[in-house]
């Protein structure tokens, strides 16, 4: 049994929505590419989640899944270091979802902000379904199944990680109880050895008294890095940090993506549903054409009018793509009407084209050999299942279900 969070493990997922755009890249994917070299990472295509809002027509699902995987590889996710897979290839997600559904109060799901918001936003669809209500719980199962320490997501997903933590806590309280837990935990603290014992107590006190999560992380690392104690004691010590039961499903932490707000062509947030996107693998002519017509400071009507970069979505792209010298040039030229908007956009077009050209090159091999992608995803699913089975074995045992 190994119920500890896997030190530093990272897990995240994305719904397959077809080809990714620059907003997806700068808002999430680019961060994943960095993370894969710092932590053991699991990234998956959440195809079951796509069904919660798109159940009438599922015909595009295979294509969207394939395209998303190609985008990931094109952006630099490396299947040699990160585990890439598809949710529905790992049926353990469904079993854990079912088991967690038994202990999750309806009210917890009803009060998740995305529930009402999305129903209102997608009013043309009938989202009064069981599956849609259960969306955050399926996400909790996705996460808890891998016992990750970090879940990199944007602001919009924080509430889902929060409910995941609550569900984990409830599960551990219900099924992680053992007789004389506190006595056993106290004994385990002594096993840590002199200095480490007092350090553990100190960090635990800090976390419990003031919710200091840095102290919690330090304490977890202290426990996980100690190889003198037994696995059972390790799980007790991890559980004792947060409560009075064994941490069968440890609580994960949000790793907030440092998201530069990427504007779309019309100045609103870049989003598929607004039709204002530039694709990750868009061809150079199309990138240039789109950027040339992109919204600028509305007050700058004529070439001779001065502009304000603070009111211009193109400027926000400069913030993401341009170096300091280019930014100074654009800002000064804009404020003095020294340059025209097309001129201002030129270096930006070059940068975006350069980026998409790299992606297109990397994607080409996979587009020509779709079975390469399928193999990567099959291998990824096998690795994911190994990790998932370990957790489910512990979960089943704790619930007095088949404990093999
Ligand atoms: N709900 C996430 C989104 O829409 C996708 C997702 C599903 C996810 N399961 C997850 C993200 C688990 C992180 C962890 O973006
Ligand atoms: Fe925007 Fe550049 Fe035009 Fe100024 S010059 S309004 S920053 S595009």
């Amino acid at each position: 049994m190994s119920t500890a969070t896997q030190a530093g493990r990272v897990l995240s997922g994305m719904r397959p929505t077809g080809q990714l755009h620059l907003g997806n890249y700068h808002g999430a994917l680019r961060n994943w590419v960095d993370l894969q070299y710092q932590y053991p990472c699991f990234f998956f295509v959440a195809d079951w989640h796509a069904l919660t809002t798109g159940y009438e027509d599922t015909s595009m699902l295979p294509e969207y899944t394939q395209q998303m995987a190609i985008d990931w590889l094109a952006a630099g996710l490396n299947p040699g270091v990160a585990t890439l897979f598809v949710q529905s290839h790992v049926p353990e997600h469904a079993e854990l979802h079912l088991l967690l559904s038994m202990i999750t109060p309806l009210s917890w799901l009803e009060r998740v902000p995305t529930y009402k918001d999305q129903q209102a936003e997608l009013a043309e669809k009938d989202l009064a379904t069981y599956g849609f209500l259960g969306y955050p719980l399926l996400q909790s199962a996705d996460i808890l199944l891998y016992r990750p320490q970090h879940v990199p997501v944007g602001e919009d997903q924080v509430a889902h990680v929060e409910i995941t933590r609550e569900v984990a806590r409830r599960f551990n309280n219900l099924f992680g109880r053992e007789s004389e837990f506190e006595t056993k935990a106290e004994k385990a603290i002594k096993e840590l050895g002199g200095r480490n014992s007092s350090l553990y107590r100190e960090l635990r006190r800090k976390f419990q008294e003031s919710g200091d999560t840095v102290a919690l992380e330090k304490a977890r690392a202290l426990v996980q890095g100690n190889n003198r104690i037994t696995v059972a004691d390790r799980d007790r010590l991890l559980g004792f940090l947060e409560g009075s039961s064994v941490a069968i499903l440890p609580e994960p932490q949000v790793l907030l993506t440092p998201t530069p707000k990427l504007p779309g062509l019309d100045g609103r947030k870049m989003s598929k549903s607004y039709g204002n996107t530039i694709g990750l693998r868009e061809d150079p002519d199309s990138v240039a054409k789109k950027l040339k017509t992109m919204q600028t400071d509305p007050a700058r009507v004529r070439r001779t009018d001065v502009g304000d970069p603070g009111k211009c979505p193109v400027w926000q792209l400069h913030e993401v793509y341009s170096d300091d010298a280019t930014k100074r040039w654009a800002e000064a030229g804009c404020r003095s009407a020294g340059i025209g908007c097309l001129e201002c956009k030129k270096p930006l077009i070059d940068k975006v084209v350069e980026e998409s050209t790299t992606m297109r090159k990397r994607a080409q091999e996979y587009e020509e050999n779709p079975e390469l992608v399928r193999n990567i995803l099959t291998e990824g699913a096998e690795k994911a299942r190994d990790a998932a089975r370990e957790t489910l074995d512990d979960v089943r045992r704790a619930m007095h279900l088949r404990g093999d």
Side-chain angles (χ1 to χ4, degrees):
M1 174 148 119
S2 69
T3 55
T5 39
Q6 302 298 316
R9 188 183 277 178
V10 162
L11 172 118
S12 197
M14 263 186 219
R15 272 177 296 173
T17 47
Q19 292 213 356
L20 294 182
H21 54 68
L22 297 182
N24 302 128
Y25 176 61
H26 291 283
L29 193 49
R30 204 174 63 152
N31 189 38
W32 291 10
V33 174
D34 291 340
L35 287 170
Q36 70 182 338
Y37 295 112
Q38 300 166 40
Y39 304 102
C41 289
F42 287 75
F43 298 124
F44 69 96
V45 181
D47 56 347
W48 280 339
H49 274 102
L51 295 178
T52 61
T53 53
Y55 51 84
E56 301 105 332
D57 183 3
T58 60
S59 58
M60 290 308 287
L61 217 45
E63 176 64 13
Y64 283 2
T65 299
Q66 178 82 0
Q67 288 304 325
M68 177 171 270
I70 294 179
D71 280 329
W72 287 5
L73 296 162
L77 280 187
N78 177 350
V81 290
T83 305
L84 312 178
F85 65 101
V86 178
Q87 184 182 34
S88 66
H89 295 181
V90 183
E92 284 78 6
H93 288 242
E95 184 174 341
L96 187 57
H97 176 220
L98 175 110
L99 295 175
L100 296 178
S101 78
M102 305 301 168
I103 65 162
T104 305
L106 269 182
S107 58
W108 289 13
L109 293 168
E110 283 161 350
R111 66 153 206 248
V112 173
T114 46
Y115 181 57
K116 295 239 157 61
D117 290 358
Q118 284 238 42
Q119 274 186 337
E121 211 170 293
L122 304 172
E124 75 284 1
K125 294 190 180 167
D126 179 8
L127 292 183
T129 58
Y130 182 49
F132 184 68
L133 179 66
Y135 185 111
L137 191 63
L138 179 57
Q139 185 162 349
S140 301
D142 296 339
I143 296 171
L144 296 174
L145 195 52
Y146 298 93
R147 302 199 260 230
Q149 199 166 336
H150 304 293
V151 184
V153 286
E155 291 281 1
D156 61 321
Q157 296 294 316
V158 171
H160 293 165
V161 181
E162 203 39 59
I163 190 175
T164 301
R165 292 167 55 84
E166 282 168 33
V167 170
R169 214 171 299 150
R170 187 167 168 100
F171 184 93
N172 295 332
N173 279 329
L174 285 167
F175 303 113
R177 297 247 176 243
E178 61 178 3
S179 58
E180 320 243 353
F181 173 77
E182 312 247 326
T183 319
K184 287 176 182 158
E186 284 297 340
K187 244 182 95 201
I189 295 178
K190 295 207 182 77
E191 296 292 329
L192 284 172
R195 236 173 56 84
N196 283 340
S197 303
S198 32
L199 188 55
Y200 175 94
R201 282 188 216 283
E202 171 69 16
L203 293 167
R204 175 173 180 266
R205 190 184 54 74
K206 270 196 189 152
F207 172 67
Q208 296 213 330
E209 282 174 7
S210 55
D212 181 342
T213 52
V214 176
L216 175 64
E217 282 309 313
K218 281 192 190 149
R220 280 182 175 162
L222 177 83
V223 174
Q224 275 157 353
N226 189 306
N227 43 26
R228 296 183 0 179
I229 52 173
T230 63
V231 173
D233 274 348
R234 190 181 62 185
D235 296 341
R236 287 188 187 106
L237 290 176
L238 290 169
F240 195 47
L241 286 172
E242 290 169 90
S244 52
S245 49
V246 184
I248 298 164
L249 298 175
E251 291 178 41
Q253 314 257 314
V254 169
L255 195 65
L256 211 54
T257 310
T259 328
K261 280 272 169 292
L262 206 81
L265 298 168
D266 57 0
R268 289 186 291 177
K269 178 179 175 248
M270 190 179 283
S271 157
K272 196 180 177 191
S273 52
Y274 294 151
N276 62 359
T277 62
I278 298 176
L280 204 64
R281 291 184 269 140
E282 192 134 347
D283 69 78
D285 286 347
S286 170
V287 169
K289 207 164 118 202
K290 284 186 173 177
L291 284 174
K292 280 181 189 159
T293 56
M294 181 166 176
Q295 170 76 44
T296 60
D297 174 359
R300 198 171 181 204
V301 185
R302 282 174 299 265
R303 167 71 178 76
T304 48
D305 295 336
V306 297
D308 178 358
K311 298 191 175 122
C312 176
V314 174
W315 173 253
Q316 290 172 267
L317 287 187
H318 272 300
E319 296 263 40
V320 174
Y321 282 95
S322 300
D323 56 27
D324 286 344
T326 310
K327 278 192 277 187
R328 274 197 301 273
W329 165 83
E331 179 165 20
C334 178
R335 291 193 191 283
S336 64
I339 59 170
C341 289
L342 274 180
E343 238 176 313
C344 178
K345 288 171 174 180
K346 179 76 177 67
L348 210 48
I349 294 174
D350 292 345
K351 282 281 185 210
V352 176
V353 166
E354 188 185 312
E355 185 177 80
S356 62
T357 304
T358 312
M359 308 265 188
R360 285 159 65 85
K361 276 199 196 123
R362 287 210 205 106
Q364 197 181 352
E365 190 191 357
Y366 298 110
E367 281 174 313
E368 286 164 7
N369 307 292
E371 73 282 2
L372 277 181
V373 181
R374 273 196 294 276
N375 289 344
I376 288 170
L377 295 176
T378 305
E379 267 177 43
E382 278 164 19
K383 275 195 250 163
R385 288 195 80 173
D386 286 343
R389 280 196 196 101
E390 276 189 33
T391 308
L392 258 188
D393 280 348
D394 292 344
V395 164
R396 291 193 197 108
R397 198 177 299 117
M399 294 180 80
H400 306 287
L401 298 162
R402 181 165 56 96
D404 47 32

